[in-house]
Amino acid sequence: MGNQKLFKGSLQTIILKLLAQNDKMYGYEITQKVKELTKGELKITEGALYPALHKLEADGLLDVEVAKVGNRLRKYYKLTEHGTKETANKLEEMQEFLKTMQHLVNPKFSLE
Amino acid sequence: MKLTESHIQRLYKFTREHFVYHYDVQTELVDHLANDIEQIWVAQPHLKFEKARDISFKKFGVFGFMDVVEKKQKAMNKHYRKILWRFTKEWFTMPKIITTGLIFMLFFIVLQLKHSFLILGTSFFILAGYDVFLFVKEKIKNKRKEKKQSEKKWLLKEMIGESRRGFSVISFINIFNIINILDLDFYTLPLFVIAILAFAATFTCIIYHVSWAVLPSKAEELLIEKYPEYSLV
C-alpha cells in the first residue's frame, strides 16, 4: 500500500481519536477498527502500533487497565484527562494540516 | 476456535524466544497474537497453531518484536525518570528541605576548607566502595533467588533495581574524575561558585539517596501503580 507513509505521521492522532470515541480499547481492537473504518485502505502495522501506544502512555496521555479475558490478560488503553485535551489539539492540528495540503495540492486561483 | 491455556503458555515461550524477556511486554504481545490467531482460524479453521502463529508474527515486520521492546524500554526510562523526579522534589519541600539545607551547608563549608579535595575525594571513595560492596552482595542474593524460583521479570522492577547502581557508582567516579582533572583549589573560588558546587553536590546526594534507598523500598507500591496486572498474577 503506497499511501502508508502518508498515514505514518498521523498514527498518534488516529489512536487518540479512536479512544475518544470508544472509552477503552486494546491493541488488536485498534488495528481492526482502523481496518474496518477505512475499509482496509489503512492497516496499522503491529510494529508501529505498540510503540505509539507506549509513547502515549509514557507521555501521560493514556491510562492502562488490565482485565482477565478468558485464559489471558488483556491490556486496555483509555484517555487520561490530559489525553482528552491533547486529542482536541491534535485534531485541530490535523485539520489545519489538511487545509494546508488542500491549498498546496489543489490551489484555487483567483483574480484579485 | 479459541486458544487453550496450553496455546497461551506456548505463546509466552515464543515471545521469550524472540527476545522479549519481561512479563509486562510479553502479556500484551501474547494477547495480540492470540486475537490474531483466532481471527486467522475463522478464515482457515484447519490451519495448524504454529502456522497461524507464524503468519501473525510476520505482521510485526522484519525486526519482529524488537521495535516494540526498544520503544517500551524508552517509554519506561521516561517513566522511571518521572518517578525519580517525583521523589526528589520532596526534598525541596517542607519538612525535608531542612535536611537538604543542612547537606548544602555542609558542602558549602567543606568546600571552603584548604583540604576540601582530600576530604571529599576520600568520602566519595569510601561511598563508592560501599556501593560496590552492596551491589555485589545483592547480585549474589538475586542469583540464589533466581535459582530457587523462576520469577516473572518486570521491566520497571529491573530498572528500580539496577539503574540506581549504575547511577551511583558511575556518578561518584565521574565526580571524582572531574575534581581531579580540574585540579583546582576550591577554597580559592568565589563564594557564589562554591555555592553552585555545593548545590550540585547536594542534588547528586539526593538523587543517589532516592534511587538507591527510597525507590527500592517503595518498589512494590510503584509496581502496583504502574502495572494493574501485577496483583493479578
Side-chain angles (χ1 to χ4, degrees):
Chain A
M1 214 157 285
N3 54 7
Q4 290 295 325
K5 273 187 188 169
L6 291 174
F7 287 119
K8 214 178 166 188
S10 317
L11 184 56
Q12 291 194 1
T13 314
I14 295 169
I15 295 171
L16 291 172
K17 171 74 179 159
L18 281 177
L19 289 170
Q21 290 170 327
N22 291 281
D23 185 33
K24 62 175 184 179
M25 293 177 95
Y26 55 97
Y28 189 74
E29 192 183 8
I30 294 174
T31 59
Q32 296 307 298
K33 193 79 187 169
V34 171
K35 215 161 106 180
E36 181 197 317
L37 288 173
T38 62
K39 299 189 172 67
E41 186 67 22
L42 170 60
K43 277 183 195 151
I44 295 186
T45 58
E46 284 73 355
L49 172 73
Y50 289 102
L53 283 169
H54 298 156
K55 188 173 184 317
L56 289 169
E57 189 195 343
D59 290 344
L61 303 184
L62 301 185
D63 216 351
V64 166
E65 236 179 66
V66 174
K68 200 163 168 63
V69 179
N71 47 17
R72 55 189 188 250
L73 292 174
R74 182 162 293 163
K75 194 170 170 184
Y76 287 96
Y77 293 91
K78 58 181 183 180
L79 289 177
T80 59
E81 210 176 300
H82 176 42
T84 311
K85 279 182 204 154
E86 197 55 32
T87 307
N89 292 340
K90 289 228 180 224
L91 285 173
E92 213 172 294
E93 271 173 29
M94 172 79 87
Q95 290 294 349
E96 281 297 314
F97 172 72
L98 290 175
K99 235 195 262 173
T100 313
M101 287 308 285
Q102 190 67 29
H103 285 311
L104 279 172
V105 177
N106 201 8
K108 278 183 190 156
F109 297 105
S110 62
L111 292 168
E112 277 185 62
Chain B
M1 198 158 70
K2 293 274 175 202
L3 262 72
T4 63
E5 183 59 41
S6 143
H7 286 138
I8 298 295
Q9 291 316 316
R10 276 152 75 185
L11 286 179
Y12 271 107
K13 193 168 168 247
F14 181 76
T15 57
R16 269 197 301 278
E17 285 165 359
H18 288 82
F19 315 107
V20 186
Y21 302 115
H22 298 100
Y23 187 72
D24 41 327
V25 193
Q26 287 170 354
T27 299
E28 190 163 41
L29 293 172
V30 165
D31 184 46
H32 185 99
L33 290 172
N35 282 317
D36 204 32
I37 292 169
E38 284 172 358
Q39 194 65 36
I40 291 169
W41 275 346
V42 173
Q44 299 164 270
H46 301 298
L47 202 66
K48 277 194 168 177
F49 168 74
E50 282 77 12
K51 281 259 182 212
R53 180 200 63 197
D54 291 343
I55 292 172
S56 184
F57 179 58
K58 271 196 185 141
K59 294 178 186 169
F60 279 84
V62 281
F63 296 112
F65 299 138
M66 269 152 90
D67 248 3
V68 180
V69 172
E70 193 190 312
K71 294 283 163 48
K72 180 81 186 177
Q73 188 94 36
K74 264 192 185 167
M76 202 54 91
N77 274 334
K78 198 172 179 180
H79 182 73
Y80 180 81
R81 283 198 302 273
K82 271 188 187 168
I83 300 174
L84 191 63
W85 180 234
R86 192 169 99 200
F87 287 95
T88 304
K89 262 192 322 198
E90 281 180 11
W91 289 83
F92 294 92
T93 54
M94 283 301 267
K96 286 185 176 148
I97 198 163
I98 298 168
T99 317
T100 310
L102 288 174
I103 300 170
F104 172 80
M105 283 312 289
L106 185 76
F107 276 115
F108 191 65
I109 292 165
V110 169
L111 283 171
Q112 291 178 66
L113 300 174
K114 204 175 175 185
H115 299 293
S116 57
F117 175 73
L118 200 67
I119 298 168
L120 289 176
T122 314
S123 313
F124 281 144
F125 259 112
I126 292 169
L127 271 173
Y130 179 61
D131 199 59
V132 172
F133 166 74
L134 285 180
F135 177 69
V136 174
K137 197 174 138 191
E138 195 165 300
K139 274 268 165 191
I140 295 169
K141 200 176 107 189
N142 284 347
K143 269 255 164 73
R144 275 188 200 145
K145 211 167 140 191
E146 263 171 37
K147 270 182 192 168
K148 272 186 198 165
Q149 58 189 63
S150 56
E151 227 183 317
K152 286 186 176 78
K153 286 185 175 185
W154 302 81
L155 198 52
L156 184 61
K157 196 174 188 178
E158 282 199 351
M159 280 184 181
I160 290 173
E162 282 171 12
S163 309
R164 61 190 167 120
R165 299 295 178 201
F167 168 76
S168 54
V169 178
I170 291 169
S171 53
F172 279 135
I173 292 168
N174 279 344
I175 290 168
F176 187 76
N177 274 338
I178 291 166
I179 297 172
N180 214 2
I181 290 164
L182 288 176
D183 193 26
L184 45 82
D185 295 318
F186 292 115
Y187 67 94
T188 59
L189 295 170
L191 273 188
F192 80 94
V193 177
I194 292 181
I196 292 170
L197 287 173
F199 180 77
T202 310
F203 195 69
T204 310
C205 281
I206 291 170
I207 292 201
Y208 171 63
H209 172 71
V210 171
S211 58
W212 184 81
V214 179
L215 296 189
S217 71
K218 293 188 184 290
E220 286 292 301
E221 204 181 298
L222 292 168
L223 289 167
I224 291 169
E225 181 188 299
K226 178 66 192 165
Y227 301 121
E229 68 268 44
Y230 193 71
S231 45
L232 287 174
V233 293

